[in-house]
Amino acid sequence: DGITVLPVATSEPEAQKLAERARAVLARFGHRPRIGPRTDPDIGAVCRAARDSGPGLLVLHADHRLLADDGMSRLLDDIDCSVMVVR
């Protein structure tokens, strides 16, 4: 389907919950996403995971802890794909 979900979580159980939630939400719109590996909640780790997933668009919630403080600037400086911030 072309959608890959990268669960950003500190633990496997948390990542599994996020993956299940993403599957359920996307299924309502007819999508069957591929679930990538758990990604540590760190700008560098997210950038590497996004790069390893191939070309695409990274979507993050505006309240995501990665974007706190200078996180947004660091993310935009480090990532090599488009970023969409949503509410």
Side-chain angles (χ1 to χ4, degrees):
D1 174 10
I3 297 174
T4 300
V5 173
L6 301 171
V8 177
T10 56
S11 68
E12 245 348 280
E14 182 185 3
Q16 289 174 0
K17 277 193 208 174
L18 290 170
E20 289 169 15
R21 186 171 167 204
R23 273 191 199 101
V25 168
L26 291 168
R28 289 195 307 241
F29 297 96
H31 297 288
R32 295 184 57 188
R34 182 180 79 77
I35 305 298
R38 180 185 66 82
T39 302
D40 289 324
D42 168 81
I43 296 288
V46 170
C47 290
R48 282 188 300 280
R51 185 173 38 254
D52 292 347
S53 293
L57 170 70
L58 177 66
V59 180
L60 287 171
H61 192 278
D63 293 335
H64 197 284
R65 62 185 172 240
L66 284 176
L67 303 180
D69 302 321
D70 68 340
M72 176 64 91
S73 295
R74 286 186 55 220
L75 178 69
L76 294 176
D77 287 343
D78 294 350
I79 200 149
D80 56 359
C81 71
S82 299
V83 177
M84 177 186 294
V85 178
V86 297
R87 292 198 258 166

